[in-house]
Amino acid sequence: MAGSHSYPGTTSPPARGTARKLAPRAGCTTESPLARRLLIAVALGFIGLVLLLPLAAVFVQAFKRGADVYFAALTEPDALAAIRLTLFTALIVVPLNTIFGIAAAWCLTKFAFRGKQWLITLIDLPFAVSPVIAGFLFILLFGAHGWFGSWLAAHDVQIVFALPGIVLATLFVTFPFVARELIPLMQSQGTLEEEAAATLGAKGWKMFRHITLPNIKWGLLYGIVICNARAMGEFGAVSVVSGHIRGETNTLPLHVEILYNEYQFSAAFAAASLLVAVALLTLTAKQWLERKRL
Amino acid sequence: MSSRQYRKKIILWVFIAAMSLTAACGGGTAGTKTGGPSGTAAAGTEPVVLQNVSYDPTRELYADYNKAFAAYWQGKTGQSVTVKQSHGGSGKQARSVIDGLQADVVTLALAYDIDAIQQAGLIKEGWQTRLKDNSAPYYSTIVFLVRKGNPKGIRDWNDLVQPGVQVITPNPKTSGGARWNYLAAWGYALAASGGDEEQAKEWLRGLYGNVPVLDSGARGATTTFVERGIGDVLISWENEAFLAANELGKDEFEIVVPTVSILAEPPVAVVDGTVDKRGTRKVAEAYLEYLYTEEGQEIAAKHYYRPRLEKVAAEYGQRFPQVKLLTIHDQFGGWAQAHKKHFADGALFDEIYRR
């Protein structure tokens, strides 16, 4: 399979299947078949109730008043503007965070320096902070009464309640996704191959292209997919900095909320179904990449 | 080896296709942006964009009104005007304008929220006297929405404190509409007790004791009552009650108008700081003044706001029954006073709601 670069010296995990053979034939639990089935039924029922039913409900609601209403809701100018804005934001944010993620992971796993652990912790900051707080941070910095507010106003630059604010907020929230995916992967791969390349005279970029990138590519794609899903779905931080101007600073998740609050349930769920579609695509890609990565 | 290269190529092409697709879409956004609030437009024949920052229930009203105004302005000056809308909780919207949301005009739920923008220096003092009727071109009041057939027999305020009646009203700490609700109830209680504040407090404690959930906004409360089916009576803006009764559940609800209620004036104002910077003062002022014309009043009445103009009011007289309306000014000494006495931390509402 592609991407299976192993080298002597590492202990490879036991081949699949060996563990299964060791298990006792009667199963590892001693519960009666009835209890076992009951437990399985409860688990499946729970999954159905909590995951599958709401998912189905979105589509049922979206198409409740027919396909005409569904497509009308998606091609209405405000909806199109919301879709465009969401795609555009993701298009800026995902490449930037990909570059950052690779650079951070490279720096943190291939070099040793003081304060490294601190830096890793710092990258996780957006995971630890509530998105609403993240949004307010940008208001505090770039709002009219924020730290840079008067300077921005004097130069007629609008950051919050405009596209730059939305991009910044999304950037902040999705900051760790790619890096977090790559760091453990690159840590486990170690620096042996890069060292070998260096002794053969490879310089930084060549080393990266021929050794590091092929090693991490599936993990990287996985990180990008997750980062993209979050960038398109972000609600809290974007809601704070958006200003909710229809047709201009409303992203798709905000558009869904607004429609719902206006009692336009079919339209709200039509827009929501797009986000669910993104989620399903993400899951499919994730499944595929996960198999590739092993 | 060759299959891997082939696969690489496919991934590359998919990636490029996705990029160019989003770039094409994104180009559109960037294109429309240039005409947006960032561009300065002089009053001439250049197309102009106005930003109206409003509160939750006015979306349908202004969607209609913007079209009418655009036609009127085009006819009068030859200039085409696009009005962009932003809606949300009134207090939150005021906060956004203070933090830098570029609003040419604000059309909010309470004067208190516009006062806050004035205190931030974006609107000049005395804004409320610049237009007629305290700068509120339409008004509304607080009414009750009950379920079909009025099973609990709710006729007036006193029926709301009976045991076993569930009342839905949002939290006055966060919702503009809820403050009107609270003040209307207080006004009734004070009149009923002959001005005895202790008795009025006791009555309000009974009322809020019947409230199972305090939603954070008026829309949330309506959804609780209409969609989730909780409660026997919703205390609500009249326009919101009409919307629920006529468009959400036909024949599921009835509107009950109490004997006394409050004059709820959602005011409008030009944001001086923005219009002077963008050069949109003339069109922004015309936008608000047009609300007072017959056509503007007609649109307001159509969307269940009570019109000021006699002629239109007479035409819609059937829809809006006469009620004795208390005013925030005479009864409560203005919003600043009312806020201090009732809604500030540790003030009357906190005292009443603490159990």
Side-chain angles (χ1 to χ4, degrees):
Chain A
M1 206 177 255
S4 60
H5 290 263
S6 64
Y7 41 84
T10 48
T11 49
S12 51
R16 280 188 182 195
T18 41
R20 211 174 293 155
K21 262 178 216 153
L22 291 174
R25 198 170 293 162
C28 50
T29 56
T30 50
E31 270 77 21
S32 67
L34 181 72
R36 249 185 288 160
R37 266 181 214 139
L38 211 69
L39 282 172
I40 291 172
V42 166
L44 286 181
F46 194 70
I47 289 175
L49 211 68
V50 175
L51 294 180
L52 297 180
L53 197 68
L55 209 62
V58 168
F59 286 99
V60 169
Q61 276 287 345
F63 282 100
K64 202 174 175 183
R65 286 167 55 193
D68 295 353
V69 176
Y70 179 84
F71 288 109
L74 294 183
T75 50
E76 174 242 358
D78 282 353
L80 282 180
I83 294 169
R84 240 185 265 134
L85 179 64
T86 302
L87 289 176
F88 192 60
T89 305
L91 186 74
I92 298 174
V93 166
V94 174
L96 283 180
N97 272 339
T98 305
I99 294 169
F100 162 76
I102 296 172
W106 170 274
C107 156
L108 286 168
T109 56
K110 306 289 179 186
F111 301 94
F113 54 90
R114 199 185 276 212
K116 191 163 132 174
Q117 206 52 47
W118 266 103
L119 202 57
I120 296 182
T121 311
L122 210 61
I123 288 176
D124 279 346
L125 181 75
F127 278 160
V129 171
S130 160
V132 178
I133 309 294
F136 281 124
L137 293 181
F138 288 105
I139 302 262
L140 280 180
L141 287 179
F142 303 116
H145 298 274
W147 289 6
F148 307 112
S150 45
W151 187 89
L152 290 169
H155 291 78
D156 205 20
V157 180
Q158 181 84 13
I159 303 265
V160 288
F161 309 121
L163 180 69
I166 294 172
V167 169
L168 277 175
T170 314
L171 205 59
F172 181 90
V173 172
T174 59
F175 192 67
F177 281 86
V178 175
R180 259 288 143 218
E181 196 54 45
L182 290 183
I183 289 169
L185 181 67
M186 286 166 84
Q187 244 163 5
S188 73
Q189 285 170 351
T191 56
L192 280 177
E193 288 185 50
E194 276 84 358
E195 277 164 21
T199 58
L200 292 172
K203 289 275 179 292
W205 174 245
K206 195 169 192 188
M207 196 195 291
F208 175 75
R209 255 200 63 189
H210 291 281
I211 308 292
T212 313
L213 193 59
N215 273 341
I216 62 167
K217 66 181 175 196
W218 298 118
L220 178 62
L221 266 178
Y222 182 90
I224 292 174
V225 164
I226 297 286
C227 179
N228 181 59
R230 182 62 193 270
M232 288 188 172
E234 175 54 27
F235 178 84
V238 171
S239 171
V240 175
V241 298
S242 140
H244 304 272
I245 306 169
R246 279 148 213 267
E248 197 152 318
T249 62
N250 254 347
T251 61
L252 204 47
L254 301 185
H255 188 63
V256 172
E257 195 217 13
I258 284 175
L259 290 175
Y260 185 81
N261 277 342
E262 279 165 5
Y263 309 114
Q264 303 188 45
F265 299 117
S266 294
F269 283 104
S273 74
L274 286 186
L275 287 170
V276 172
V278 169
L280 292 179
L281 276 178
T282 304
L283 290 179
T284 316
K286 188 172 171 262
Q287 177 82 11
W288 182 66
L289 288 170
E290 212 129 67
R291 234 182 298 145
K292 282 279 181 198
R293 206 160 45 142
L294 288 175
Chain B
M1 202 57 183
S2 67
S3 91
R4 192 197 290 180
Q5 269 171 354
Y6 180 65
R7 210 177 302 164
K8 252 186 201 165
K9 227 175 207 171
I10 289 184
I11 290 174
L12 184 72
W13 277 113
V14 169
F15 189 66
I16 289 173
M19 282 291 192
S20 45
L21 184 75
T22 36
C25 293
T29 328
T32 53
K33 279 259 354 145
T34 52
S38 51
T40 50
T45 45
E46 288 275 291
V48 63
V49 176
L50 277 189
Q51 176 67 57
N52 177 2
V53 171
S54 195
Y55 63 114
D56 264 331
T58 56
R59 187 208 179 196
E60 295 80 9
L61 164 65
Y62 280 107
D64 262 13
Y65 177 72
N66 292 344
K67 271 184 236 151
F69 175 72
Y72 158 77
W73 190 249
Q74 177 105 48
K76 193 182 161 199
T77 65
Q79 186 181 32
S80 87
V81 52
T82 316
V83 185
K84 297 257 177 196
Q85 286 296 132
S86 168
H87 298 270
S90 188
K92 193 187 90 183
Q93 294 290 81
R95 186 70 243 173
S96 295
V97 172
I98 293 169
D99 282 333
L101 180 58
Q102 300 290 306
D104 295 287
V105 298
V106 285
T107 53
L108 295 177
L110 332 166
Y112 185 75
D113 292 327
I114 300 188
D115 281 340
I117 303 174
Q118 180 214 309
Q119 273 151 27
L122 290 169
I123 294 178
K124 288 187 194 127
E125 255 177 73
W127 63 268
Q128 205 160 9
T129 54
R130 276 200 240 166
L131 291 165
K132 265 189 297 178
D133 303 317
N134 297 322
S135 285
Y138 40 77
Y139 66 104
S140 191
T141 185
I142 299 300
V143 299
F144 307 147
L145 191 68
V146 297
R147 303 202 182 276
K148 175 94 189 152
N150 198 356
K152 299 268 165 138
I154 287 155
R155 294 275 159 250
D156 204 356
W157 287 100
N158 216 25
D159 299 321
L160 303 188
V161 295
Q162 301 310 317
V165 173
Q166 279 199 327
V167 181
I168 303 295
T169 177
N171 186 351
K173 290 274 195 179
T174 54
S175 154
R179 291 182 179 203
W180 291 116
N181 295 355
Y182 170 96
L183 292 177
W186 175 262
Y188 166 82
L190 212 54
S193 66
D196 183 342
E197 293 217 347
E198 280 311 311
Q199 255 184 329
K201 258 196 254 178
E202 210 40 59
W203 187 88
L204 246 78
R205 197 168 281 136
L207 174 67
Y208 280 90
N210 276 352
V211 178
V213 283
L214 276 183
D215 284 287
S216 68
R219 264 296 144 97
T222 312
T223 311
T224 297
F225 184 75
V226 171
E227 292 293 315
R228 291 168 59 200
I230 297 178
D232 302 305
V233 51
L234 172 75
I235 312 179
S236 156
W237 292 99
E238 187 177 44
N239 52 292
E240 187 84 357
F242 269 114
L243 187 72
N246 291 356
E247 275 153 50
L248 296 181
K250 271 201 192 308
D251 298 329
E252 282 179 51
F253 306 104
E254 282 173 27
I255 294 174
V256 174
V257 181
T259 52
V260 56
S261 190
I262 196 162
L263 174 69
E265 295 182 314
V268 301
V270 165
V271 182
D272 299 295
T274 316
V275 293
D276 288 343
K277 197 170 76 190
R278 295 188 54 223
T280 47
R281 176 175 287 281
K282 222 174 128 189
V283 58
E285 280 174 352
Y287 179 75
L288 294 187
E289 278 156 17
Y290 193 63
L291 281 167
Y292 288 89
T293 64
E294 196 179 329
E295 190 176 10
Q297 294 282 295
E298 190 79 41
I299 293 170
K302 210 177 92 197
H303 290 281
Y304 315 114
Y305 287 89
R306 294 187 175 214
R308 298 279 193 182
L309 205 66
E310 285 297 336
K311 191 172 165 219
V312 183
E315 191 184 328
Y316 283 86
Q318 282 278 302
R319 178 181 279 185
F320 303 116
Q322 291 288 322
V323 199
K324 182 172 172 245
L325 294 179
L326 310 168
T327 71
I328 186 85
H329 219 266
D330 301 342
Q331 189 83 17
F332 302 94
W335 271 111
Q337 284 267 349
H339 179 81
K340 211 172 113 205
K341 181 167 178 185
H342 295 276
F343 308 120
D345 280 330
L348 263 177
F349 177 73
D350 279 344
E351 199 185 313
I352 284 164
Y353 199 63
R354 206 183 305 124
R355 301 192 182 177

